[in-house]
Amino acid sequence: MSTQFRRSSHLFTSESVTMGHPDKVADQISDAILDSIIKADPLARVACETLVTTGLVVLAGEVTVHNEAAARALEGAEDTARKTIQEIGYNDPTGGFDYRSCAVLRALHAQSADISRGVDKADDDKKEQGAGDQGLMFGYASNETDALMPLPIHLAHRLVEKLAEVRQKGQLKWLRPDGKSQVTVEYKDERPVSVHTVVISTQHDETALDKKKDVVSDKAKREIIEKVIRPVIPKKFWNDEIIFHINPTGKFVIGGPQGDSGLTGRKIIVDSYGGRGAHGGGAFSGKDPSKVDRSACYMGRYIAKNIVAAGIAHSCEVQLAYAIGVANPVSVTVSTEGTSVIPEDQISEMIKEFFPLTPRGIIKHLDLLKPIYKETARHGHFGRIPGKDGSFSWEKTDMAAKLAAAAGIKGK
């Protein structure tokens, strides 16, 4: 007989990357192109992947459009890429990667007919839209933050968001777009109690250097702590023992696609929950919502968040699995890490009852046929505030009251 031991304390770490990180540059370009096409043709099929490196952007993938406006948007993919790069902040012709001087190569073609035949619904609307691919998708939520996100990834996202804000407002004029954050949180009895370590590695210009040592100056490090880190860390988690690693290599002038190549879909853990819970392996950016490795992950998050918001569990992970061309999921599985007030198999049945799980049902319920995706490609897909334009609809908790009533929980 084995004995299961519960951890009394542990550390957990998650990271995020800035909007100027090469992989995120690629993600934003892919989603900007998706937005430009889906705005003109909501039923377009888009799977756009981007590669960026020194002086070069490569656009590849499959796109199928149904009207002239969408065709023009597709033809304008190069301009869309350049505008996105400019918006991110790569606007220095001497910096190695610049929106005006980079070459853009396009290799986009129509979606395979063998795939689309199982995805597109029949003209008479009697045939259900099938899943755009097979796979397993996960959604997760935890009540350790108001956003119902795990604290380490939530703080890591807010740090890179703050880096972008102070850079774009000119509050730290030496900041450049590339960078990373990492947050280690101390847990006791599975609840976060303090921030243990914060790592910030941010690209900068020469004015941030201590000229004698050729490393980032102590003054610049203090500015990062006071203007970026301190405003983000909640007071209840702040303490005088926090370990700070600010640009620990000493110097980060060469960055962005000049310093490292970037590729769409290479930051899947950053894009989800920072290593908390499981990940099915699929990426999000550049894919229209017929691809369940995007839309079903959004639905999984929506389900998990509403379950936690209803008070049914402190944390919840939902797995949805699909077969290509088949509408209904082949399995629905719930794990609450032992925190639920009702059995997990009962929660699974409630999910099937209250939430549409077919691709068409997901798209309709979350209103996904809109140009809302570029914003998801920076600062996190989850834990964001739903927008008036329909963005981040999967962050709503509008099903919590119904779930609480079905579970017999009063006051929700």
Side-chain angles (χ1 to χ4, degrees), residues 68-354:
E68 290 186 7
R72 287 194 297 270
L74 179 57
E75 285 297 317
E78 178 179 338
D79 288 339
T80 301
R82 293 188 189 278
K83 289 177 183 177
T84 304
I85 296 166
Q86 180 185 20
E87 182 182 283
I88 291 168
Y90 288 110
N91 49 20
D92 181 1
T94 66
F97 188 77
D98 172 62
Y99 77 95
R100 289 160 292 200
S101 60
C102 65
V104 180
L105 301 180
R106 196 176 69 174
L108 298 166
H109 57 85
Q111 183 186 48
S112 164
D114 292 343
I115 294 176
S116 62
R117 67 183 296 183
V119 176
D120 295 330
K121 60 187 178 67
D123 291 337
D124 61 8
D125 210 36
K126 292 180 180 179
K127 183 180 178 182
E128 182 62 80
Q129 177 178 326
D133 201 354
Q134 71 174 48
L136 44 150
M137 297 80 196
F138 291 91
Y140 184 82
S142 169
N143 67 357
E144 59 192 60
T145 63
D146 291 341
L148 302 187
M149 285 287 286
L151 183 62
I153 187 64
H154 185 67
L155 293 181
H157 283 325
R158 303 292 73 79
L159 285 171
V160 295
E161 191 174 53
K162 192 67 174 179
L163 272 173
E165 178 186 324
V166 299
R167 173 175 60 85
Q168 292 170 335
K169 289 183 177 180
Q171 295 173 358
L172 293 177
K173 296 184 182 301
W174 45 267
L175 280 176
R176 295 294 289 144
D178 196 1
K180 287 185 173 185
S181 69
Q182 186 171 284
V183 179
T184 300
V185 172
E186 180 182 8
Y187 287 77
K188 290 185 178 179
D189 296 323
E190 305 300 326
R191 304 300 297 173
V193 295
S194 65
V195 171
H196 181 276
T197 303
V198 176
V199 183
I200 296 288
S201 294
T202 182
Q203 187 187 12
H204 55 84
D205 66 21
E206 298 284 348
T207 65
L209 293 173
D210 181 324
K211 299 298 184 182
K212 294 181 179 179
K213 300 179 181 179
D214 199 34
V215 297
V216 171
S217 68
D218 290 338
K219 177 178 180 292
K221 291 182 179 181
R222 288 194 299 271
E223 287 180 319
I224 288 291
I225 292 172
E226 293 303 318
K227 294 186 178 182
V228 176
I229 300 176
R230 187 181 287 274
V232 166
I233 306 298
K235 290 182 179 180
K236 67 178 180 179
F237 295 121
W238 186 272
N239 63 88
D240 294 334
E241 304 299 321
I242 296 176
I243 301 167
F244 298 105
H245 295 295
I246 311 299
N247 281 41
T249 64
K251 184 178 179 180
F252 189 2
V253 173
I254 300 173
Q258 182 189 18
D260 192 11
S261 61
L263 188 66
T264 299
R266 206 156 53 181
K267 286 291 178 283
I268 58 175
I269 300 302
V270 169
D271 284 347
S272 52
Y273 306 98
R276 285 288 290 273
H279 195 290
F284 301 153
S285 290
K287 298 176 181 176
D288 74 81
S290 73
K291 281 76 172 173
V292 285
D293 43 4
R294 182 170 212 162
S295 56
C297 282
Y298 290 169
M299 177 55 80
R301 163 65 177 171
Y302 177 67
I303 294 169
K305 187 173 184 179
N306 276 274
I307 287 169
V308 173
I312 294 174
H314 293 304
S315 65
C316 181
E317 179 183 87
V318 176
Q319 185 204 61
L320 304 173
Y322 291 85
I324 188 169
V326 179
N328 288 301
V330 298
S331 65
V332 178
T333 307
V334 174
S335 172
T336 62
E337 300 174 324
T339 67
S340 61
V341 297
I342 61 175
E344 290 175 350
D345 55 354
Q346 184 179 342
I347 299 174
S348 295
E349 292 304 313
M350 290 169 58
I351 291 172
K352 296 173 187 177
E353 179 182 354
F354 286 99

Side-chain angles (χ1 to χ4, degrees), residues 20 31 37-38 134 296 326 353 379:
D31 270 341
I37 294 171
I38 206 170
Q134 71 174 48
V326 179
E353 179 182 354
H379 311 145

